[in-house]
Amino acid sequence: MLQIRRPGLTTKSDRHFSVAIVGGGASGTILAAQLARRGIDSILIDGSGRMGRGVAYSTTEAAHLLNVRAEGMSAWAGEPDHFTRRFEQEGGDRRGFAQRRLFGRYLGEILDEAVQNGCAQVGHATATGATYGEADWRIDLDDGSTIDADALVLAVGNQEPEALSAFADAGLRFIRNPWGAEARAAVEDLTHTGRAALLVGTGLTMVDLVLSLDAAGYQGRILALSRRGLIPRSHADFEPSPVETSELPSGLRAMFRWLRRRSAEAGWRAAIDSLRPYSHALWQSLDDQEQRRFLRHARPWWDVHRHRIAPEVAATVARMIGEGQLEVVAGQIVGARSAPNGLEVDFHRRGASATQSATFGYAFNCTGPLHSIARTRDPLLRSLLDSGEVRPDQLGIGLEVEGTSRAGEHLWALGPLTKGRYWEIIAVPDIREQAAAVAADIERELGA
Ligand SMILES: Cc1cc2nc3c(=O)[nH]c(=O)nc-3n(C[C@H](O)[C@H](O)[C@H](O)COP(=O)(O)OP(=O)(O)OC[C@H]3O[C@@H](n4cnc5c(N)ncnc54)[C@H](O)[C@@H]3O)c2cc1C
């Protein structure tokens, strides 16, 4: 059995840790804090400049709000008021929706505490590979150095969106990554020129872009397009309608019949949310074919009802639609090419007989994270997949994990990487439970 190194005890070397966590977003940060509370030393590795915040909470924009009420956002499973207290200090209401950047600061404070108590260190680098030998992981970093750890946790988050083949010839006016610096520069340019913007995808990423454009004072027209043209619904107060395990539906068809019936009785928000405590068990009760069917047919509907937006955000979107500035369309992109004054795009509205063309200043890929883990461009994941240390899950959307999110020998995965097993594992209320379970499992495995 391995010995967990406590702070203050002699370590094998200053490059050797009990746990190496790759990915300093919400998942990795909460895990580092969980380990620190258990007195287990770890190093949190992130080379993106978003250490302690990750993609979702590194936004600097006031318009970007959480899509979970403040009272649901504690980083600690057993301390529901932990974030609320922080939010109330800033004048917020526990039932309200905080700015995401405030939540980012909160995560940063949690990480600082773990660093200050001597249990956590941070490493600002990108992990490019990892190999397991003689009960240790050796992790290669892009600065040429290596670190060793008894356990490795992959918390690398969602993978960058798929390249869209229709935009292969679109050049720099197609913004492939809506979270990067190019997207911010494009928003500025659009605000300046007032040219039309195309958002491909109509989910939460589209909403973020719309908010960014609105906050920047953009006056141009926005076309948001996806196959079904569904946009996220708004949060609203409702009377909860909890269900007993014995009342739960079994199988995909039965689940949607059950949801329709219960929505008619209790309202759709109450119906969807009544399944939350059972979401992992329900997902795991579906066989592979049913899970695939869910992804193919039901997912867009599920996403817009389950992952709802703050009422303030919904009001902005509704205002922009009402004023004719934002148009949401069900349809398909046919092709796109660079034109002297922008990007010329051909698209087909669902039900229309002809293809339409329009010119946009920029088009943004808002289709959401990469769906196929085999096509990841993350160097660490690539190396682990290529060496066979990790395997894609049954659907190919994340990594195969067992029990308490174990992906291999002394190897765990957290957050969106584990959605094949758990499906609902991308929001903080789910991630904090997973991080607590993984921390306990690591302690058990490495030996106290
Ligand atoms: C825009 C947005 C808004 C959201 N809003 C909410 C919300 O309001 N409430 C809620 O509960 N959930 C929300 N979510 C969902 C959820 O909180 C996030 O998906 C969650 O933060 C995932 O965190 P993560 O740490 O797993 O991944 P990420 O935040 O993606 O962090 C992973 C980090 O790992 C780094 N990394 C990747 N590969 C390597 C490598 N090889 N070496 C070093 N570093 C690496 C990345 O650069 C990144 O910084 C939102 C998600 C998004 C995208």
Side-chain angles (χ1 to χ4, degrees):
M1 187 176 280
L2 294 160
Q3 196 64 43
I4 291 175
R5 281 172 294 284
R6 310 286 179 183
L9 297 185
T10 317
T11 58
K12 284 186 206 165
S13 80
D14 61 358
R15 305 292 287 174
H16 195 119
F17 298 85
S18 292
V19 185
I21 306 166
V22 180
S27 305
T29 299
I30 294 173
L31 178 66
Q34 278 281 352
L35 292 169
R37 277 199 176 177
R38 289 164 190 272
I40 301 172
D41 74 280
S42 69
I43 180 163
L44 187 61
I45 301 161
D46 195 311
S48 68
R50 297 184 294 241
M51 179 70 80
R53 289 163 298 145
V55 175
Y57 310 111
S58 53
T59 175
T60 55
E61 297 196 41
H64 290 163
L65 301 185
L66 293 175
N67 55 24
V68 174
R69 292 182 197 280
E71 63 187 8
M73 288 295 289
S74 170
W76 301 102
E79 295 172 45
D81 287 337
H82 199 259
F83 175 62
T84 311
R85 279 199 298 275
R86 179 74 177 76
F87 186 38
E88 284 172 345
Q89 276 167 17
E90 307 265 331
D93 178 326
R94 56 184 299 113
R95 299 278 299 155
F97 298 85
Q99 293 177 9
R100 292 215 303 266
R101 62 186 185 177
L102 174 70
F103 190 76
R105 286 209 291 280
Y106 164 75
L107 284 177
E109 287 159 13
I110 287 172
L111 181 57
D112 286 348
E113 203 181 302
V115 170
Q116 274 156 20
N117 87 6
C119 274
Q121 286 191 35
V122 292
H124 295 277
T126 295
T128 53
T131 40
Y132 186 69
E134 295 184 24
D136 269 12
W137 279 97
R138 170 147 292 188
I139 297 126
D140 302 317
L141 304 181
D142 65 345
D143 59 9
S145 66
T146 57
I147 57 163
D148 298 319
D150 298 327
L152 173 62
V153 182
L154 306 172
V156 296
N158 284 311
Q159 304 303 293
E160 267 191 32
E162 195 90 59
L164 299 181
S165 56
F167 289 90
D169 301 324
L172 297 176
R173 290 188 176 272
F174 175 62
I175 307 296
R176 181 188 161 134
N177 177 8
W179 313 118
E182 298 86 6
R184 284 192 295 280
V187 166
E188 256 179 55
D189 192 55
L190 284 168
T191 306
H192 181 66
T193 61
R195 285 186 180 149
L198 173 64
L199 309 183
V200 185
T202 59
L204 292 167
T205 311
M206 176 280 284
V207 172
D208 257 18
L209 251 303
V210 164
L211 293 172
S212 298
L213 286 162
D214 184 55
Y218 173 68
Q219 300 290 326
R221 296 201 52 187
I222 305 169
L223 183 77
L225 180 143
S226 67
R227 264 196 309 147
R228 298 175 203 214
L230 293 173
I231 62 173
R233 303 298 198 261
S234 175
H235 278 288
D237 287 331
F238 61 87
E239 197 58 48
S241 174
V243 290
E244 299 293 328
T245 320
S246 57
E247 297 174 69
L248 290 175
S250 132
L252 192 61
R253 268 179 209 284
M255 189 171 98
F256 277 89
R257 269 200 308 271
W258 185 93
L259 272 173
R260 267 196 296 276
R261 202 186 56 241
R262 205 163 172 83
S263 296
E265 291 162 8
W268 64 264
R269 291 183 180 85
I272 293 249
D273 285 19
S274 68
L275 294 181
R276 286 210 62 182
Y278 312 105
S279 57
H280 295 171
L282 279 173
W283 177 251
Q284 286 161 10
S285 74
L286 303 178
D287 62 30
D288 293 4
Q289 268 190 347
E290 285 184 306
Q291 290 179 347
R292 280 203 185 83
R293 262 210 309 280
F294 172 87
L295 293 184
R296 217 171 20 246
H297 302 298
R299 182 190 176 166
W301 183 91
W302 177 262
D303 281 353
V304 298
H305 290 87
R306 165 71 187 80
H307 299 286
R308 303 191 283 272
I309 51 180
E312 305 89 303
V313 171
T316 302
V317 172
R319 167 178 55 79
M320 292 171 76
I321 292 175
E323 290 171 352
Q325 187 182 14
L326 169 63
E327 187 186 6
V328 180
V329 167
Q332 250 180 323
I333 302 291
V334 178
R337 65 217 147 261
S338 231
N341 55 346
L343 185 63
E344 208 169 274
V345 181
D346 306 325
F347 60 96
H348 196 97
R349 290 173 189 260
R350 200 165 65 187
S353 54
T355 296
Q356 205 177 329
S357 293
T359 304
F360 298 92
Y362 289 91
F364 297 81
N365 185 354
C366 301
T367 54
L370 182 72
H371 297 304
S372 163
I373 198 74
R375 291 207 289 278
T376 180
R377 295 186 303 156
D378 185 285
L380 174 62
L381 282 185
R382 268 264 60 85
S383 103
L384 290 168
L385 284 162
D386 291 347
S387 66
E389 294 282 7
V390 295
R391 284 166 303 281
D393 60 44
Q394 74 285 3
L395 304 172
I397 58 177
L399 298 183
E400 185 179 284
V401 292
E402 293 168 7
T404 26
S405 307
R406 285 192 189 209
E409 195 75 10
H410 288 184
L411 178 65
W412 285 259
L414 266 187
L417 272 184
T418 61
K419 60 191 171 191
R421 180 169 178 96
Y422 302 110
W423 184 242
E424 288 293 341
I425 196 72
I426 52 170
V428 167
D430 296 304
I431 288 173
R432 68 177 174 224
E433 302 284 341
Q434 186 186 29
V438 166
D441 199 38
I442 289 176
E443 185 167 41
R444 248 191 323 271
E445 176 75 12
L446 299 191

